[in-house]
Amino acid sequence: MVPNLSEVQRVLEGLAPRGLAEPWDNPGLQVGDPDGRISGIVVSLDPTLAAVREASGRGAQLLITHHPLIFRPISSLDMGSFPGDVIGEAVRGGVSVVSLHTNLDSAEGGINDILAGLLDLRDVEVLEKKAGNGTAQQVIPAEANTETTGLGRVGNLPEPVPLTVMKTKVMEALGAKCPLRQIGGGRDMVRRVAVVGGAGGSLVAQAVERGADILVTGDVTYHQALEAVRLGLTVIDGGHFLTEHAAMRVFAERLKAVLVSGGWDVRVTYSEEERSPFDGGFM
């Protein structure tokens, strides 16, 4: 069976409930017709022109991204600048765009659980749990397990390893082609590891409180780095792109398996054109 967009969205809601998103976020449908049939999906980190064109060129009707295309209400649609250019390209190419952002970060089996798996962590726990009843702006789904949903993860390696070995393990897991930035000296041996995909420097204190020897994340600011050094925490800054790109590639395979098991006839592929903007951008 070939589903329509609404049916695919229901599958996505099961994987990453919108209620898990941060109050400031805007996940979900960005562009598209809920009744449109979806026989092909391309997954990428960012909703760029290149990603939309790749989806169209592959004959896909849906682009699923981590980062939303639209964050705030649009007062005018300028096709000559972002996000109007991407919206226009999507409409012309018949490509719907759906994002799974902080809801996928927090979801069980989402970005951070995937990162923990890539690093072979055991006894994984949520680094910062969400309040069970949510807030006025954030209603946590009733079916969500507050013990397994929230920001970041922390877990143990099968056995302690030297910091140098851990750095190599992180590079391989993220597909890094050059050494990653290290903050702080920390301990010579690493056993307990915290992971936060994307920008996770704000969780330095939480990582220390949970007994982490090291935090693997991206986009660490100067003052967050100072805090890590002061608290004696080693941080490996893999960059925003790599920490989420590696996880989204695994998520694409998981989505494919879920759709197949549900009897849906949909091709799911990960973007082969996406590059970090720090490595020459999206050509």
Side-chain angles (χ1 to χ4, degrees):
M1 297 184 291
V2 177
N4 62 25
L5 180 56
S6 290
E7 290 169 322
V8 174
Q9 284 186 274
R10 283 196 289 272
V11 172
L12 296 175
E13 178 68 14
L15 296 173
R18 185 174 178 134
L20 292 177
E22 297 299 302
W24 49 263
D25 201 4
N26 183 43
L29 180 63
Q30 310 286 296
V31 179
D33 176 8
D35 294 324
R37 292 292 168 182
I38 306 297
S39 61
I41 298 173
V42 169
V43 179
S44 72
L45 182 60
D46 292 296
T48 62
L49 275 172
V52 171
R53 288 168 179 164
E54 181 180 0
S56 179
R58 288 173 175 261
Q61 299 83 27
L62 175 59
L63 173 68
I64 295 176
T65 68
H66 187 43
H67 298 138
L69 174 60
I70 302 169
F71 263 113
R72 300 175 182 84
I74 297 175
S75 58
S76 65
L77 199 58
D78 180 358
M79 299 296 186
S81 62
F82 184 86
D85 55 348
V86 178
I87 294 171
E89 187 73 20
V91 172
R92 286 191 296 270
V95 177
S96 297
V97 181
V98 171
S99 77
L100 304 172
H101 194 210
T102 54
N103 49 328
L104 187 58
D105 288 330
S106 289
E108 184 174 359
I111 294 294
N112 290 299
D113 274 328
I114 292 171
L115 284 175
L118 289 174
L119 294 176
D120 196 28
L121 300 187
R122 313 290 173 84
D123 306 316
V124 176
E125 303 171 346
V126 175
L127 183 59
E128 184 178 69
K129 296 176 183 177
K130 291 184 174 295
N133 295 323
T135 67
Q137 293 176 295
Q138 183 180 24
V139 180
I140 305 302
E143 67 276 12
N145 185 340
T146 56
E147 293 298 317
T148 57
T149 58
L151 295 175
R153 298 292 185 268
V154 60
N156 301 317
L157 294 169
E159 59 184 25
V161 299
L163 177 59
T164 53
V165 172
M166 187 63 201
K167 288 170 64 177
T168 300
K169 186 179 185 71
V170 173
M171 286 184 61
E172 292 174 349
L174 300 184
K177 298 180 180 178
C178 59
L180 303 177
R181 186 169 62 163
Q182 177 185 328
I183 299 161
R187 305 173 185 176
D188 293 334
M189 301 296 290
V190 174
R191 176 65 184 273
R192 191 157 174 81
V193 181
V195 295
V196 184
S202 63
L203 297 181
V204 163
Q206 289 88 331
V208 173
E209 289 171 5
R210 301 298 296 278
D213 301 313
I214 192 169
L215 169 65
V216 178
T217 188
D219 284 357
V220 179
T221 69
Y222 179 80
H223 291 288
Q224 290 166 347
L226 284 178
E227 181 183 20
V229 171
R230 180 177 64 83
L231 295 175
L233 178 70
T234 298
V235 179
I236 296 180
D237 186 343
H240 201 119
F241 179 84
L242 284 181
T243 55
E244 294 183 332
H245 175 74
M248 282 297 285
R249 183 179 289 277
V250 175
F251 174 75
E253 292 300 316
R254 181 186 176 201
L255 174 61
K256 181 192 300 184
V258 169
L259 290 170
V260 169
S261 67
W264 300 114
D265 185 15
V266 185
R267 302 183 316 276
V268 180
T269 57
Y270 193 81
S271 172
E272 298 299 332
E273 302 298 324
E274 192 166 49
R275 301 289 185 275
S276 167
F278 296 106
D279 294 333
F282 303 88
M283 306 303 291

